[in-house]
Amino acid sequence: MKTYHLVGIGNAVVDIIAQADDAFLAEMGIEKGIMQLVERERAEDLYSRMEAGVQMPGGSVANTIAGAGALGLDTAFIGRVRDDAPGRFYADAMNDAGIDFVNAPALDGALPTSRSMIFVSADGERSMNTYLGISAELGPGDVPTAVTERAQIMFLEGYLFDKPAGKAAFLEAARQCRAGGGMPGIAISDPFCVDRHREDFLSLIENEMDFVIGNEAEIRALYRNGDLESDLAQVGAICPLVICTRSGDEVSIVSEGSRIDIPVEKVKPVDATGAGDQFAAGFLYGMATGRDLETCAQIGIICAREVISHVGPRPEADLRVLLRERGLIA
């Protein structure tokens, strides 16, 4: 049976990305710079107004898995799509990229494949309008033991934590991963999701996760102390490894009670889509290949910098070349 360096579980979302100015966002009632969930009718309306949109397979953890695969890891992704045109596109595109998409498109899905209409402003901010569709219905039955027990690292997407089936799938996947000797971890994904499920999130992190990755807002949402330093310390007290990114400022890592901060050189983004996803890809690549935590963070920073230099949430340059230039890999 095949083994994997990294397996992800998350929303399988077809991304449609287009440029848009602030006037268009205001006209359409789109709040700039955040991810908004939309209903099917709203999704179809926004899609019809997109000009010269680029279509690609997306989803936060799926983007991380793609980035890690581009760095050379053996990867798989667990997600749910319908057997419709977007769903078949998604599955084929993931497999074509060398990522094992382990769930066949569902023939009996009641909802269509998920999609996100992403409008990129001139300042690089992205405004995401996501219709969750069938991907949010992922449950324990979609989690194959043959994959999860053979994962060196398992990475879970916090967005899926909004529904009971998603929570159950996370618990099953994490426990199967640990039973096989692997390390399960989670991307917090969204502070608002934490607000809705704080106690469950904290229980999952404390009892089932070996690491957690989040940005400053997501880490602060877990305890709401009003002070990042206190929040980091508390999360670090319940989880062996906590990684906190700060949107261009330093990256903070708390490991077994000890903290290090890694500086980040600020650059102006062309498109901020996928920055956190590709940071995670680089960091997890470092973990999977035995690097120390500071080197893991430096690899993640290079990967994030590459993805914000162009439109789209996945790398375009050869990341291994960039890492060699920095002396981070041989």
Side-chain angles (χ1 to χ4, degrees):
M1 299 292 290
K2 184 172 182 178
T3 58
Y4 297 97
H5 294 110
L6 178 63
V7 174
I9 301 180
N11 282 304
V13 183
V14 176
D15 285 340
I16 307 98
I17 304 174
Q19 300 288 333
D21 57 26
D22 289 351
F24 174 84
L25 299 181
E27 177 188 349
M28 297 303 299
I30 297 171
E31 188 171 347
K32 184 176 178 179
I34 68 166
M35 192 282 287
Q36 303 175 82
L37 296 179
V38 298
E39 298 299 325
R40 187 172 181 175
E41 183 177 350
R42 169 74 164 166
E44 291 173 350
D45 181 39
L46 291 175
Y47 179 76
S48 70
R49 296 171 184 267
M50 301 187 84
E51 297 180 4
V54 177
Q55 179 173 276
M56 60 187 66
S60 177
V61 163
N63 291 334
T64 293
I65 300 304
L71 285 165
L73 297 188
D74 289 325
T75 59
F77 182 70
I78 297 168
R80 188 167 171 79
V81 298
R82 186 177 177 178
D83 188 19
D84 52 20
R88 292 188 292 272
F89 161 80
Y90 192 98
D92 290 345
M94 293 290 277
N95 288 319
D96 289 346
I99 304 157
D100 286 354
F101 188 73
V102 301
N103 303 93
L107 294 170
D108 57 350
L111 298 174
T113 295
S114 309
R115 64 208 66 186
S116 183
M117 282 60 64
I118 303 171
F119 298 95
V120 182
S121 310
D123 58 3
E125 284 289 344
R126 83 278 195 212
S127 306
M128 305 171 65
N129 302 266
T130 302
Y131 169 62
L132 290 179
I134 196 173
S135 68
E137 298 192 333
L138 184 140
D142 300 303
V143 178
T145 304
V147 174
T148 53
E149 287 188 347
R150 291 172 172 83
Q152 179 180 337
I153 299 172
M154 173 77 64
F155 195 41
L156 310 173
E157 182 177 312
Y159 287 128
L160 275 177
F161 210 61
D162 252 338
K163 291 192 175 182
K167 293 179 183 180
F170 276 15
L171 289 173
E172 186 159 328
R175 290 167 183 173
Q176 290 172 0
C177 177
R178 275 185 167 170
M183 291 178 58
I186 190 169
I188 299 177
S189 299
D190 180 15
F192 300 109
C193 188
V194 174
D195 289 342
R196 292 189 290 272
H197 308 280
R198 182 170 290 104
E199 293 306 316
D200 287 342
F201 257 107
L202 290 173
S203 177
L204 181 77
I205 290 169
E206 180 173 12
N207 299 307
E208 310 291 347
M209 298 291 105
D210 291 320
F211 66 92
V212 59
I213 299 178
N215 63 30
E216 181 175 354
E218 292 159 359
I219 294 294
R220 294 183 69 172
L222 288 168
Y223 281 102
R224 292 293 187 199
N225 290 315
D227 175 72
L228 177 63
E229 306 306 312
S230 299
D231 291 320
L232 264 175
Q234 280 195 267
V235 182
I238 65 170
C239 187
L241 178 60
V242 183
I243 304 103
C244 178
T245 62
R246 302 193 189 183
S247 299
D249 292 325
E250 61 190 10
V251 174
S252 297
I253 300 173
V254 179
S255 175
E256 303 292 351
S258 297
R259 175 171 163 176
I260 58 174
D261 296 300
I262 296 90
V264 175
E265 178 186 353
K266 284 191 175 184
V267 296
K268 182 179 179 181
V270 173
D271 173 15
T273 308
D277 303 337
Q278 295 311 318
F279 171 84
F283 194 96
L284 296 176
Y285 166 81
M287 285 177 56
T289 54
R291 268 72 175 184
D292 63 81
L293 294 176
E294 183 171 354
T295 301
C296 290
Q298 290 171 343
I299 294 172
I301 290 165
I302 296 299
C303 294
R305 182 177 299 161
E306 189 282 335
V307 83
I308 67 173
S309 70
H310 57 77
V311 173
R314 298 191 177 185
E316 293 183 351
D318 188 328
L319 295 174
R320 295 184 64 83
V321 170
L322 298 179
L323 295 177
R324 287 192 192 101
E325 291 173 350
R326 297 297 184 105
L328 295 172
I329 63 173

